[in-house]
Amino acid sequence: MARVQGAIVVDRERCKGCEVCVPACPTQVIELANEVNGKGYHYAYMANPDACTGCSNCAIVCPDGVISVYRVKKTA
Amino acid sequence: MGELKLMKGNEAIAEAAIRAGVDAYFGYPITPQSEVIEYLTYEKPEERTGMVVLQAESELAAINMVYGAASTGKKVLTSSSSPGISLYQEGISYIAGAELPCVIANVVRGGPGLGTIQPSQADYFQSVKGGGHGDYRLLTLAPSSVQEMADFVELGFEIAFKYRNPVMILTDGMIGQMMEKVELKDPVPRWTDEQIQEISGSWATVGKPANRERNIVTSLYLDSAIMEQHNHHLQAKYRQMEAEEVRYETFDTEDAEYLMVAYGSSARIAQKSLTLARAKGIKVGLLRPITLYPFPAKPLLDLVPQLKGILSVEMSAGQMIEDVRLSVECKVPVVHFGRFGGIIHSPEEVLEALEQKIIGG
Amino acid sequence: MDIKDIIKEENLVYSKTKLMTDNVLSYCPGCGHGTAHRIVMEIIDEMGLQSNTIGIAPVGCSVLAYDFMNIDMIQAAHGRAPAVATGVKRTWPDKTVFTYQGDGDLAAIGTAETIHACNRGENITIIFINNGIYGMTGGQMAPTTLEGMKTSTSPHGRDLKKMGNPLKITELIAQLPGTYYVSRQAVHTPAAVRKAKKAIRKAFEIQQENKGLTFVEVVSNCNSGWKLPPVKSNQWMVENMFPFYQLGDIKVDGELVK
């Protein structure tokens, strides 16, 4: 059975920590970090990477375009 | 020799624009210059040359249509009259700030406010000193005949593109409305897209190809250091205009002890006053500034050693006189004469002013 | 599978379009402007229009749109973008021309330019961002501010008797024969972004066919002006803005919907 696995890369220094991506994720992958970036924003990161399907929802709603999405088809 | 026609000054502007390969005219009707857009819409320049003519919903829209088309390297003309030019000022300031070429004709009427539809020269300050907000200058040409109304359209575009700066043709209801013989030049084609690319490709917004950075037309510089730098650049351009673009003509100045300074309609009238004065044995000359900015300051100063007095003649309460005085550096008395509020002074009134205010004064 | 094996060039499925520059957006965290900018640039990229497009930036928060959109752009005086676009389009009828304007710019100071460009049926596309407030100048009342909504110039809430009614300019211009496609969208959720992108793409496609003016309103948020965190501002928008500014197509193929 084929299933997809995804991953996101957040440009931490450009992320403004607006959190809009968090509710946009259908599999609750993203959280805001406890640490802050150079501008003092709690940036978004993959807190639960195994759940990522690479659906791109987070990147599509990201106002600052700081999320890149990767996806692979995995044969189990 | 070009085609000879009897035309109104306003019509001459319009016909000259078609023949000069102007790409677009945007305007809004206002007396006494509506013949410009009436002539253009009647003549169907879209069929003759492909020139676009559009009546805007307001002067605000018209000048911003000019701003848009000028941003793309096109030759764009507009015209209006005093109250309309006041509405243009915001757009003119943006055009000057963004360094765009265009030609604007102001067929001046009496003011302030709604004023009168009769001729006046009371928009001198508005044209020559800036008009809108910020430190900027308009190259200002002052025709005194229907022939010059036509000629200055072509000249206007030449210097507008040379400096990437708006050019004002400052005329008035008298020259706009009067009919005179005019020799029209043979038509030249409009620039092709390739020519526009060659002439203005480094700055014009015509779509970003892969092989160059995007072009941006803006007058916004939020960083004050860059804003100051931009202003220095503009000022350097204005100094260059002052060095290279001064235009004027003189009449009977060789032995003149007195001088009249007058532009546009007033210069026509002053020429007659000159003849009347010379017939009476008065040694008077006339200097007609053709460019009001840059003002012919040096030619005027050069005449000062031979002069006992200067009469500044204009159909206003006294605007150009400030530049005349600055030019002669207080070395000779300068007195203003002019009717205003829509009244045109007669040659006799000018002569009387010369005799009473300058010679007898 | 290890994350390192997933994050490889060949597995990339989404990233910021190259038509957005690398300049950091000047917008507040969570502001819909960034998303709206990006989808407009994605469409121009996907349609292969970069070398053929001229954008007009307004006065307002998006005054610096030209810093972010990697296309030739003109910055217009407050409210005058449709007139500037008219000047460009009339002299370059084969180019793609769009304005990007906020509610103060388009629906207050620029109302005349908006209505007349629409009424003339200029073959341009207008992207209208409506967040019911003047963002750039610090949260003053806009023509689109809702009844009772607090802003810095309606600090006790918009009083319709004193301050007039919120203006549905999109419905107004849809009445004009010159508009061919008019739609109202949002960019707060993935589904909304996809729909908005589809609408804006349609607008640009219609422009290629010279059928008339196309107009897409994007109802958006203003976290700073509304004084709400980004996610809460999106909720507030859904609860308060959408009932008044209802999403969906208003005019399709030159015919009013419904």
Side-chain angles (χ1 to χ4, degrees):
Chain A
M1 177 191 157
R3 96 180 172 88
V4 288
Q5 192 171 349
I8 62 167
V9 174
V10 178
D11 185 340
R12 287 183 185 184
E13 285 309 310
R14 296 167 69 96
C15 175
K16 293 175 184 163
C18 74
E19 222 175 338
V20 170
C21 56
V22 175
C25 177
T27 52
Q28 289 81 47
V29 172
I30 308 170
E31 288 178 15
L32 294 194
N34 286 327
E35 308 85 74
V36 294
N37 64 16
K39 292 220 170 113
Y41 291 122
H42 295 279
Y43 53 84
Y45 78 109
M46 277 203 293
N48 184 15
D50 291 344
C52 181
T53 63
C55 72
S56 302
N57 275 3
C58 55
I60 285 169
V61 290
C62 173
D64 291 279
V66 302
I67 303 175
S68 298
V69 184
Y70 298 83
R71 185 167 51 192
V72 288
K73 275 183 186 162
K74 215 173 75 173
T75 314
Chain B
M1 186 155 164
E3 188 181 352
L4 284 177
K5 270 196 168 181
L6 183 68
M7 299 185 101
K8 274 192 172 190
N10 289 335
E11 294 168 343
I13 287 181
E15 178 60 32
I18 301 172
R19 290 172 181 244
V22 170
D23 294 297
Y25 173 93
F26 301 101
Y28 185 78
I30 182 171
T31 308
Q33 66 76 53
S34 297
E35 290 85 1
V36 180
I37 190 168
E38 286 172 352
Y39 184 95
L40 285 171
T41 49
Y42 184 80
E43 271 297 310
K44 295 188 177 173
E46 67 277 13
E47 289 174 11
R48 281 175 62 183
T49 67
M51 177 183 177
V52 171
V53 180
L54 184 62
Q55 179 174 329
E57 65 271 27
S58 67
E59 281 93 352
L60 297 180
I63 194 67
N64 282 284
M65 290 172 186
V66 171
Y67 177 82
S71 297
T72 66
K74 294 281 187 180
K75 285 160 96 167
V76 199
L77 173 75
T78 185
S79 62
S80 187
S81 178
S82 310
I85 296 289
S86 294
L87 287 169
Y88 274 10
Q89 292 302 343
E90 176 197 45
I92 294 174
S93 174
Y94 275 66
I95 289 168
E99 294 190 88
L100 301 176
C102 70
V103 175
I104 303 154
N106 181 2
V107 185
V108 180
R109 56 189 254 185
L114 201 48
T116 168
I117 59 172
Q118 303 302 326
S120 163
Q121 293 183 314
D123 286 4
Y124 181 91
F125 284 152
Q126 178 172 248
S127 312
V128 166
K129 306 295 180 187
H133 58 283
D135 273 327
Y136 73 90
R137 297 288 189 156
L138 300 179
L139 278 152
T140 305
L141 298 170
S144 71
S145 63
V146 173
Q147 183 66 53
E148 284 187 339
M149 292 285 258
D151 294 346
F152 287 1
V153 172
E154 191 188 6
L155 173 66
F157 279 105
E158 191 187 308
I159 52 182
F161 274 84
K162 178 178 173 187
Y163 294 95
R164 282 179 59 190
N165 202 71
V167 168
M168 176 73 80
I169 296 176
L170 187 69
T171 180
D172 62 61
M174 181 171 130
I175 297 172
Q177 292 296 325
M178 83 183 173
M179 295 188 87
E180 221 173 21
K181 183 183 76 176
V182 55
E183 184 186 336
L184 296 162
K185 291 194 176 161
D186 290 336
V188 296
R190 294 190 306 115
W191 287 335
T192 62
D193 291 0
E194 290 71 30
Q195 283 173 303
I196 289 173
Q197 190 60 40
E198 202 178 303
I199 295 160
S200 308
S202 63
W203 57 268
T205 51
V206 295
K208 178 201 171 308
N211 61 2
R212 71 153 164 80
E213 291 296 304
R214 66 194 188 284
N215 283 341
I216 297 163
V217 170
T218 184
S219 57
L220 176 71
Y221 299 93
L222 288 170
D223 182 328
S224 298
I226 297 172
M227 186 77 246
E228 189 187 40
Q229 205 177 3
H230 179 61
N231 268 285
H232 278 307
H233 163 69
L234 294 177
Q235 291 302 318
K237 205 165 75 168
Y238 304 147
R239 297 298 88 76
Q240 191 194 340
M241 293 175 194
E242 288 162 6
E244 295 177 17
E245 303 304 332
V246 170
R247 287 169 173 81
Y248 65 98
E249 65 179 339
T250 54
F251 303 86
D252 292 350
T253 52
E254 294 76 17
D255 63 341
E257 294 173 358
Y258 304 98
L259 186 74
M260 292 182 287
V261 180
Y263 71 93
S265 298
S266 282
R268 290 176 75 98
I269 297 159
Q271 280 183 67
K272 179 67 178 173
S273 309
L274 182 71
T275 311
L276 296 175
R278 284 278 170 178
K280 290 176 95 174
I282 301 168
K283 286 188 173 177
V284 63
L286 169 66
L287 187 143
R288 173 172 86 96
I290 294 171
T291 51
L292 298 176
Y293 180 82
F295 194 75
K298 184 162 184 308
L300 202 46
L301 183 62
D302 289 345
L303 285 171
V304 161
Q306 69 189 67
L307 297 177
K308 294 178 184 166
I310 296 176
L311 186 69
S312 176
V313 185
E314 45 180 330
M315 293 191 292
S316 73
Q319 299 191 11
M320 179 186 66
I321 188 172
E322 294 190 4
D323 282 334
V324 176
R325 282 192 174 135
L326 283 170
S327 301
V328 301
E329 298 172 351
C330 301
K331 288 172 180 162
V332 61
V334 183
V335 176
H336 163 76
F337 176 73
R339 301 292 300 272
F340 45 97
I343 294 176
I344 303 166
H345 33 246
S346 69
E348 292 77 15
E349 283 177 304
V350 176
L351 176 62
E352 192 184 316
L354 183 73
E355 288 179 309
Q356 291 181 2
K357 294 182 165 192
I358 302 289
I359 301 168
Chain C
M1 197 172 185
D2 195 79
I3 289 176
K4 279 180 195 153
D5 295 324
I6 304 171
I7 300 171
K8 283 181 179 167
E9 192 60 35
E10 65 266 29
N11 298 329
L12 183 69
V13 290
Y14 190 94
S15 68
K16 175 175 74 74
T17 167
K18 295 261 184 308
L19 263 66
M20 286 294 285
T21 66
D22 287 332
N23 295 328
V24 175
L25 291 166
S26 51
Y27 304 111
C28 303
C31 174
H33 268 307
T35 312
H37 279 24
R38 199 180 66 246
I39 58 176
V40 172
M41 287 304 102
E42 285 175 0
I43 290 159
I44 289 169
D45 191 15
E46 289 159 16
M47 290 175 72
L49 292 173
Q50 184 188 25
S51 64
N52 198 44
T53 299
I54 296 122
I56 321 290
V59 169
C61 286
S62 50
V63 67
L64 288 169
Y66 56 77
D67 269 356
F68 315 121
M69 298 180 176
N70 194 15
I71 55 169
D72 279 3
M73 286 196 84
I74 302 168
Q75 198 290 312
H78 201 19
R80 317 294 174 225
V84 174
T86 299
V88 177
K89 188 72 180 190
R90 289 286 178 132
T91 50
W92 295 88
D94 297 334
K95 302 280 181 189
T96 301
V97 181
F98 74 93
T99 72
Y100 185 102
Q101 303 174 256
D103 41 277
D105 192 87
L106 181 140
I109 193 166
T111 308
E113 286 78 7
T114 302
I115 285 178
H116 286 280
C118 288
N119 198 45
R120 285 191 304 266
E122 300 292 341
N123 280 306
I124 59 171
T125 298
I126 293 178
I127 311 293
F128 167 41
I129 310 297
N130 174 13
N131 57 13
I133 205 160
Y134 283 80
M136 186 177 73
T137 44
Q140 294 82 11
M141 185 176 70
T144 48
T145 296
L146 298 172
E147 181 179 7
M149 191 170 158
K150 288 181 180 172
T151 70
S152 69
T153 51
S154 59
H156 311 293
R158 184 174 191 154
D159 178 341
L160 299 191
K161 280 190 183 151
K162 276 198 239 166
M163 303 162 186
N165 298 282
L167 179 62
K168 290 184 181 176
I169 196 157
T170 306
E171 276 82 353
L172 203 151
I173 61 97
Q175 306 296 319
L176 304 173
T179 54
Y180 190 81
Y181 175 62
V182 180
S183 187
R184 184 183 282 123
Q185 301 291 334
V187 292
H188 62 306
T189 64
V193 174
R194 289 190 177 97
K195 277 174 86 172
K197 190 174 166 184
K198 222 172 143 183
I200 295 170
R201 174 156 183 142
K202 185 171 176 170
F204 277 101
E205 284 170 353
I206 291 166
Q207 186 179 157
Q208 309 307 309
E209 296 163 16
N210 292 322
K211 283 184 173 167
L213 192 137
T214 51
F215 188 108
V216 181
E217 173 179 341
V218 177
V219 181
S220 193
N221 57 354
C222 180
N223 325 312
S224 300
W226 296 357
K227 308 198 188 310
L228 290 167
V231 174
K232 281 206 174 131
S233 79
N234 280 340
Q235 286 164 3
W236 191 90
M237 176 174 71
V238 172
E239 288 161 15
N240 297 277
M241 293 283 276
F242 290 177
F244 191 78
Y245 298 113
Q246 288 179 9
L247 303 188
D249 287 343
I250 295 167
K251 192 177 193 180
V252 177
D253 295 341
E255 300 289 334
L256 289 168
V257 174
K258 276 178 275 181

